[in-house]
Amino acid sequence: MQQILNVYDGAAARLSRQDWLLATLARLVFAAVLAVYFLNSGVTKLGDGAIGVLTPSAGAYIQIFPQAFANAGYDTSALGLFHHVVVIAGIAAEFLLPVLIVAGLFTRFAAFGMIGFVALQSTTDIFGHGRYDALGRWFDRIPDAAILDQRSLWLLLLVTLLIKGAGPLSLDKLLVMMRRR
């Protein structure tokens, strides 16, 4: 039994030294699973023309402020400056933060921003859109509820990037190497 435990301890020690692998895989999984989701979601919010991010579509307001937009008669001009700033910031975040994570640039800041974004997105889905059916439950036999199950896995991935950073194959690592010279 002692020999088995020694082998196990040795393998565990070697795996514990592989932080680079966890960080790199977290970015790869983010790129494969979530980056395109967020980028496509951002595209649905763009207005017309080259400055579409500054002139969001009506869909952006419906997605981000469903109740306020309905109360304004679906007229964007009836909403206040606060609503416009939040929508523009949300669109910018949906494009910028995933790109930063995939590139491995300012990864910890981007992961922190994405954590806030996912929390706000989930709150809007539940309370703004009334998607109580998508909430789901933890510790049940159904592992695919859109909010509690899926988004908790998203958050685990983002917390991993927040704590571990981007890994060695990243612009963050390149910046560290350049500063050390």
Side-chain angles (χ1 to χ4, degrees):
M1 183 65 164
Q2 185 62 41
Q3 189 175 13
I4 292 172
L5 292 175
N6 289 342
V7 169
Y8 177 83
D9 289 343
R14 284 188 296 281
L15 286 172
S16 293
R17 292 188 297 271
Q18 305 307 314
D19 281 349
W20 68 271
L21 181 61
L22 183 60
T24 303
L25 288 176
R27 280 189 33 246
L28 179 64
V29 169
F30 180 87
V33 176
L34 293 174
V36 174
Y37 165 81
F38 283 109
L39 294 172
N40 283 334
S41 179
V43 168
T44 68
K45 296 173 181 76
L46 292 176
D48 294 328
I51 58 167
V53 72
L54 299 176
T55 57
S57 69
Y61 293 93
I62 290 170
Q63 290 177 48
I64 297 172
F65 290 112
Q67 299 300 321
F69 196 45
N71 293 341
Y74 298 101
D75 178 10
T76 57
S77 65
L79 294 172
L81 179 64
F82 170 77
H83 295 96
H84 298 297
V85 169
V86 169
V87 167
I88 290 168
I91 294 169
E94 270 188 308
F95 285 111
L96 182 62
L97 296 175
V99 168
L100 289 174
I101 289 173
V102 171
L105 180 62
F106 306 120
T107 306
R108 287 185 166 100
F109 289 132
F112 185 73
M114 286 300 305
I115 289 167
F117 191 95
V118 170
L120 188 58
Q121 173 190 26
S122 299
T123 302
T124 300
D125 286 345
I126 295 166
F127 298 109
H129 293 285
R131 293 291 322 271
Y132 303 104
D133 61 319
L135 184 59
R137 285 178 292 202
W138 280 342
F139 308 107
D140 63 2
R141 62 180 179 77
I142 304 166
D144 62 351
I147 297 176
L148 281 179
D149 293 336
Q150 291 179 15
R151 294 190 186 162
S152 60
L153 290 171
W154 297 2
L155 291 174
L156 177 62
L157 184 66
L158 293 165
V159 167
T160 300
L161 291 169
L162 178 67
I163 293 170
K164 296 292 185 185
L169 303 173
S170 66
L171 294 175
D172 284 345
K173 181 68 171 181
L174 183 63
L175 287 175
V176 167
M177 290 170 36
M178 289 172 52
R179 283 196 321 262
R180 287 185 180 160
R181 280 194 223 167

